[in-house]
Amino acid sequence: MRHPLVAGNWKMHGDRESVANLVTSLLKIDCEAEIAVFPPYIYVPLVAANIGDSGISVGAQNASEHDSGAFTGEVSCHMLRDFGCQYVIVGHSERRNIYSETDDQVAHKFAAVQSAGMTPILCVGETLEQRDQGKTLDVVAAQIEAVIERVGLGNICEAVIAYEPVWAIGTGKTASAAQAQEVHLALRQQLGDSGGKTRILYGGSVKAANAAELFMQPDIDGALVGGASLDANEFSEICKLA
Ligand code: 13P
């Protein structure tokens, strides 16, 4: 049985006051699902201190693939672990597209996160053009394969995968439950025998209004939520539906 996970990716939003208020609201959520939140780096210590032993997890939105050294502006996995992170998002489409992260770099980051004792949330997803060309399953399979080549099937199965179609992120367009389930099933099959235990999240304009139908799909084990994770009521509803 896979324990549902609802992850809130706050992206580059918030300030000390709004972060503290959001955490106060999160602490009131009563749900079966695991909750994880991903503040901007600089707020990780504040969130980690305020969530205490509530059972909510904290993670980072990115990490360096390097252990330490002259990498101005970067944050290492060891540092994130040092401040209480349990998860790190790797390969988000905004990192791949805006910051030109390659499949190979994503695979390095994935390995670094696991080596530091944290769990990667590996994001994969196709653009609208790729979907229209019928390439969705090939694109996500190649993104997964790049990581399998570096860390092996056993290690990728210990991680969390997030299917986030690029065209559904921040656009208000969600993949239909059937479209998402098709990709989730293909991803699980690619993971082989151990893939039965791997949590595969859906991300892309998830809201309380569409979450229930997504979560009813057999291979959708939760959500990676962007915009709606900044709204405590909306996020709380999504967590209760998972
Ligand atoms: P939205 O929920 O705002 O579409 O963002 C999804 C996402 O990118 C989560 O990582």
Side-chain angles (χ1 to χ4, degrees):
M1 188 57 193
R2 297 182 294 269
H3 187 197
L5 170 63
V6 180
N9 176 6
W10 296 353
K11 305 194 180 182
M12 199 174 72
H13 292 289
D15 54 26
R16 274 191 289 186
E17 189 183 351
S18 68
V19 165
N21 289 339
L22 194 48
V23 173
T24 302
S25 303
L26 294 178
L27 292 172
K28 296 182 191 143
I29 301 176
D30 183 15
C31 68
E32 298 291 320
E34 180 186 350
I35 300 174
V37 290
F38 297 78
Y41 283 139
I42 198 164
Y43 298 116
V44 164
L46 176 63
V47 172
N50 286 8
I51 55 177
D53 59 0
S54 64
I56 296 174
S57 306
V58 66
Q61 300 171 17
N62 181 34
S64 173
E65 64 271 43
H66 303 289
D67 291 340
S68 64
F71 300 103
T72 301
E74 292 291 281
V75 175
S76 76
C77 290
H78 171 76
M79 294 166 186
L80 295 172
R81 185 81 192 125
D82 202 20
F83 273 88
C85 285
Q86 286 142 285
Y87 292 98
V88 180
I89 297 172
V90 295
H92 192 281
S93 63
E94 287 150 18
R95 301 294 319 171
R96 293 179 189 264
N97 298 332
I98 305 171
Y99 299 101
S100 307
E101 285 188 10
T102 62
D103 277 349
D104 189 50
Q105 194 178 3
V106 170
H108 269 96
K109 290 187 178 203
F110 183 105
V113 171
Q114 282 193 326
S115 296
M118 299 178 288
T119 302
I121 298 189
L122 171 64
C123 299
V124 298
E126 82 288 4
T127 63
L128 187 56
E129 191 184 3
Q130 290 164 333
R131 174 161 282 271
D132 288 345
Q133 291 169 349
K135 293 184 183 162
T136 298
L137 298 183
D138 292 342
V139 168
V140 298
Q143 290 169 333
I144 294 283
E145 191 53 38
V147 176
I148 294 176
E149 272 174 26
R150 174 152 295 275
V151 303
L153 259 182
N155 283 322
I156 200 171
C157 289
E158 297 296 329
V160 175
I161 311 280
Y163 169 53
E164 297 206 310
V166 178
W167 50 271
I169 295 177
T171 58
K173 287 185 201 150
T174 325
S176 70
Q179 282 173 322
Q181 167 59 23
E182 182 195 15
V183 179
H184 282 231
L185 177 61
L187 291 172
R188 199 176 301 290
Q189 286 169 343
Q190 187 178 1
L191 298 178
D193 289 344
S194 301
K197 67 176 182 202
T198 308
R199 291 183 290 184
I200 306 180
L201 314 182
Y202 172 78
S205 299
V206 174
K207 305 184 252 327
N210 57 27
E213 206 191 344
L214 289 161
F215 295 156
M216 269 162 38
Q217 305 305 309
D219 290 293
I220 298 184
D221 307 312
L224 181 53
V225 185
S229 70
L230 298 166
D231 178 325
N233 292 330
E234 191 76 15
F235 190 66
S236 164
E237 285 309 307
I238 296 168
C239 292
K240 288 178 187 162
L241 290 166

